[in-house]
Every structure is written in C-alpha cells, then in structure tokens.
Amino acid sequence: MSNRMWGGRFASGPAEIMEEINASIGFDKRLAPQDIRGSLAHVAMLGAAGILPAEDVAAIEVGLKSVRDEIEAGTFVFKRELEDIHMSVESRLTEIVGPAAGRLHTARSRNDQVATDMKLWVRDTLDSLDQQAADLQRALSQAALKHAGTVMPGFTHLQSAQPVTFGHHCLAYVEMLARDRGRFRDARARLNECPLGAAALAGTSFPIDRHATAAALGFDRPTANSLDSVADRDFALESLAAASICAVHLSRFAEELVVWTSAQFNFVRLSDGYTTGSSIMPQKRNPDAAELVRAKSGRIIGALTGLLIVMKGLPLAYSKDMQEDKEGTFDALQALSLCLAALTGMVRDLEPNAEVLARAAGSGYATATDLADWLVRELGLPFRQAHHVTGRLVGVAAAKGVGLEELLLLEMQEAEPRITDAVYAVLGVTNSVASRTSYGGTAPDNVRKQAQAWIARLA
C-alpha cells in the first residue's frame, strides 16, 4: 500500500530496497527536540496569523508536547516505514489529536522543516562545543600558571631548538582554542537565519509571518531567498570546517602526549584513568585516550570532505542527496565533543617530570641562540657574524662532547677574542627562558601574566 502520509500520487508502496536507501529515521530521530520546537513555533504563528482556528492550534500544541514527552521518556515508537522524524512526529500527532494534526503542515514543506531542524541542532551543538573548548582552555591555563617556570625543550623539526617553559607550551594551545571558539561563533552567527516558511522552494501564498517564527526560535531574522533557504548547507559545511581545524589542533596536542609519555621521552605521566595496559606485556602503559583523539580528527575531516563532495554538483533547490548531510555532521561534532572532554581530563590529570624536562632543555646546544644574541648585544657583532662564531663554538663543544656552558673561556676566545666570562650567565636554560621577555615570549613572568589573564577571561 502507498505511504498514507504522502501517497496520494502513488498506487503502491516503495520497493524494499527503496525503503532501505530512503529512510533516514535511524539517524534523524536525534532531531526530534528541534523538530518539535520548530513545529510549536510554526503552529503558533499560523494561529496568530489567522490561518488556523484557535481550537486546532491548541490541540496541536497539546499533542506536540505529548509527543515530546514520549520521546524524552523513551516510549515513542519510531517506525521505519514513516521515513523520517517529520513524518514520525506528524503520524503520532494524528493518533493523539485526530484530523487537526493534518493542518500543522500548512505553509511549510519538509524541505524548509529539515533545514530549520538541522540549523537548530547545529546551533545547539556549536554552543556546547564552545563551552567544552572553554573548559579545555581553563585546564590549560591553570596548568600554565602552575608550571610557568618549569623549563622544557622547545622544538623545531622535533629537534631541540631553544628552552621554553611547560606553561608557555600550554598557553600555545589556549591561543589555538581561542581561534577555534571564534570560528564556532562565526559559524553560529552566519547560520542564525530561519528557513521556516520558505516551504518547498518558492515560498507560500499563505499570509505567514516569518519574522515571528524566526524570533520564536531564537534566529536573528528569516532567510531572504526561498530557493537558497532549502538548498543551503553552508551552515553544516562551515561548522564542520571549524570542527576540522579544532580537531587538528587537538590531534597535534594528542600526538605530543603520545610522544611525551613514552619511556624514551618520559616528559609527562598520565594516570591509570587515561591509559590502558597490554594483553600480553604487563609493563605497558599505553596512551590510548590521546591516540584516539589523534585518530578521530580523521573522521571529522572526512565528514567535511564527504559533505563538500555531496553538495558540489547539486542544482537548486532541494535534492535527496542532501539527506547525506546528517550522519556525517552528527558523527563529526559528537566526535569532537568527545575529544574535547578527553583532552580536558588528560590536561587536568597529567604531571610533568620537571627534572627530565630541565635536563632535556639543556641538550642539543639549545642555548646557542642565547650565545649569538649575547655576542650581538654585548660585543656589537652583526647577527650573521655572531651566528658564525656561535656555530664554530658549537662545533668545538660537540667535538669534546660537552655543553656550551662547559667550554673554557680560552676556547671561546679563540673564536672571538672579546668574549668575557659574563657570557656564562646566558648559557643556562633557566637564564635563557628568563631572558625571553618580549611580548608573547616564554619568560616565566610573561607566562604567569598571560595565564592569569586567561583564567580571569574564562571565569
């Protein structure tokens, strides 16, 4: 038999495989809260505009709230043959209130309905992700304040470069997350226009008040073009793009945790709460939580790529291809939420190994730049000449198997006769980080001020 919700044009029901490929209720049922919110706003507007009688509006509102209660209680039965969340809600509404339920769909289409539902869901999710990112920023800022003076090696090319502090390293991710949150807010601001009332693609002849519906749902305004209203999935793409960049940031930090917790580095330790063991090697402590954060960036980026490919060849306005926006968006943003929660827990849990970090900070001639800067500042050498002198001294120290600070003054003076014993003051890692006082530099006082400022901003 034909689908009784829309089957007037059809004499028979869909083929079995058609139902398999067409039905979306298995995943779009998570839009139920947003679908009911949109329907309540729509029916209230229909009543206020005089399009529906008050008694029908009242019955539909009571029925929609009953459906919402059933869904929240877990007693609602989702039926595959009804295809999607919109038909499922309307079918149950009909069972509760009778023929009046059929008036709810006046002056709207599933096309503008699903666009509205998705915008509401994405908007709610962006708000939640923003708060989770702020929680991670707080955890990192607190770690930065605690470890503002904990010296560690700074790397370029994963080779020892210059000493920094653990707190400074944490604040780098605070800054990244600040940009991520800015992208979430930008995406939210751009999506905050309401498609409801655009109907299938051309608008409607009913005297609806789209501004009232938009206001009731917390949108800034209604969308201005009915074709664009139902054809657009920019809001999902932009949110996935922001999520992908954020996931890359989280993945980079996760990679560092994987490296740092290895026996070869031993820079930090994670507790049993964020590590796992091996089924065969009893000594193992695996950073599985960090590894999974690193991996999930792939599926988040994949969701963005997948939806871009779905959308790239679609003519206006709505095509069923656009049903493929949901699973990837749901999965990706849920994965990002999980990653943010896991990393926040790990940051609060981890303990830096200060002795190992300090020892590593002095390896690899990490204070060579400090020596070159000293030659420029104290002796007036051009930087390129100072760079050359320092390179020679690094070569001498490497040949002897000692650090720069262990070279004799006479050995240094063979490379540059004007060097004095005052140079030793800049060759220790503690002195090195303390000297980096430029704005944004790693000096502990800088780090404390920045961490305190972030903590206050995030309070």
Side-chain angles (χ1 to χ4, degrees):
M1 61 183 294
S2 62
N3 187 318
R4 63 190 176 90
M5 300 300 289
W6 50 266
R9 171 67 177 80
F10 295 83
S12 63
E16 184 177 346
I17 193 64
M18 179 60 187
E19 182 175 299
E20 182 71 23
I21 196 172
N22 193 48
S24 60
I25 191 61
F27 49 85
D28 70 13
K29 61 186 179 184
R30 78 166 62 194
L31 293 174
Q34 290 79 19
D35 194 70
I36 292 171
R37 278 165 60 192
S39 291
L40 285 168
H42 183 66
V43 75
M45 180 276 296
L46 292 176
I51 298 170
L52 292 190
E55 59 269 23
D56 284 348
V57 172
I60 291 169
E61 288 177 339
V62 169
L64 284 170
K65 291 172 183 176
S66 295
V67 174
R68 181 183 61 196
D69 292 343
E70 289 178 11
I71 292 171
E72 290 176 352
T75 59
F76 187 92
V77 178
F78 294 97
K79 298 175 182 178
R80 186 179 178 83
E81 63 269 22
L82 294 173
E83 291 188 17
D84 57 34
I85 186 59
H86 322 299
M87 292 300 193
S88 297
V89 169
E90 186 174 330
S91 175
R92 180 61 181 137
L93 180 66
T94 301
E95 292 172 354
I96 294 172
V97 307
R103 300 184 187 279
L104 173 60
H105 211 53
T106 303
R108 76 174 184 185
S109 161
R110 282 192 296 177
N111 295 354
D112 61 336
Q113 190 177 356
V114 70
T116 303
D117 290 0
M118 274 296 285
K119 279 196 170 187
L120 288 170
W121 187 89
V122 170
R123 190 179 71 183
D124 291 345
T125 304
L126 288 175
D127 289 344
S128 177
L129 290 171
D130 180 70
Q131 288 306 305
Q132 285 191 281
D135 287 342
L136 179 52
Q137 284 183 296
R138 272 187 283 272
L140 286 163
S141 298
Q142 289 158 359
L145 185 59
K146 182 178 179 181
H147 296 287
T150 302
V151 177
M152 69 173 289
F155 298 102
T156 61
H157 308 278
L158 203 57
Q159 305 293 313
S160 289
Q162 293 176 290
V164 295
T165 71
F166 190 81
H168 192 58
H169 200 104
C170 289
L171 287 178
Y173 286 101
V174 174
E175 295 291 334
M176 291 184 203
L177 286 160
R179 296 193 295 275
D180 292 327
R181 293 181 65 200
R183 279 182 280 270
F184 293 154
R185 290 192 294 269
D186 287 347
R188 189 195 195 284
R190 259 184 292 280
L191 73 76
N192 210 34
E193 296 182 345
C194 184
L196 200 57
L201 76 163
T204 178
S205 58
F206 289 97
I208 61 173
D209 185 349
R210 293 190 62 208
H211 288 85
T213 309
L217 292 171
F219 289 103
D220 295 331
R221 63 192 70 85
T223 50
N225 182 283
S226 60
L227 283 167
D228 179 56
S229 301
V230 299
D232 165 51
R233 290 298 182 270
D234 289 5
F235 63 91
L237 289 168
E238 186 172 9
S239 298
L240 288 172
S244 295
I245 296 171
C246 183
V248 168
H249 290 156
L250 303 187
S251 182
R252 295 180 72 177
F253 189 31
E255 166 67 6
E256 292 188 318
L257 290 178
V258 171
V259 172
W260 290 351
T261 55
S262 67
Q264 289 72 24
F265 272 73
N266 193 28
F267 280 5
V268 301
R269 178 181 173 84
L270 287 169
S271 74
D272 295 349
Y274 291 93
T275 55
T276 65
S278 164
S279 63
I280 189 173
M281 296 170 284
Q283 84 282 7
K284 294 295 294 297
R285 180 191 287 273
N286 298 323
D288 283 11
E291 290 172 355
L292 288 167
V293 168
R294 185 177 61 185
K296 286 184 187 298
S297 63
R299 66 195 288 176
I300 295 168
I301 296 166
L304 169 61
T305 304
L307 185 55
L308 283 167
I309 294 169
V310 166
M311 297 300 298
K312 72 175 181 62
L314 297 186
L316 297 182
Y318 181 82
S319 298
K320 194 70 171 184
D321 312 52
M322 292 163 67
Q323 181 170 290
E324 293 297 315
D325 66 342
K326 294 173 191 62
E327 287 182 282
T329 303
F330 293 157
D331 180 78
L333 299 188
Q334 181 179 353
L336 182 61
S337 174
L338 186 58
C339 290
L340 286 164
L343 266 181
T344 301
M346 281 186 276
V347 169
R348 290 184 173 136
D349 180 80
L350 65 82
E351 274 300 322
N353 190 334
E355 291 183 7
V356 173
L357 287 170
R359 191 160 55 246
S363 67
Y365 306 103
T367 57
T369 306
D370 296 277
L371 173 55
D373 288 347
W374 186 89
L375 293 171
V376 171
R377 189 171 55 251
E378 300 298 326
L379 303 185
L381 268 64
F383 183 80
R384 284 300 163 208
Q385 184 181 346
H387 187 284
H388 180 74
V389 170
T390 302
R392 285 182 58 193
L393 291 175
V394 168
V396 172
K400 292 182 65 177
V402 299
L404 283 171
E405 70 279 6
E406 296 175 275
L407 287 177
L408 299 174
L409 180 59
L410 287 174
E411 292 173 312
M412 292 192 183
Q413 289 173 336
E414 287 178 6
E416 169 50 61
R418 290 181 294 162
I419 293 176
T420 69
D421 58 6
V423 73
Y424 291 103
V426 303
L427 297 182
V429 292
T430 301
N431 290 333
S432 174
V433 297
S435 72
R436 305 295 174 181
T437 56
S438 59
Y439 181 80
T442 193
D445 284 346
N446 282 12
V447 174
R448 289 187 191 93
K449 289 175 184 175
Q450 290 279 9
Q452 288 166 344
W454 271 114
I455 289 169
R457 193 184 313 177
L458 294 163

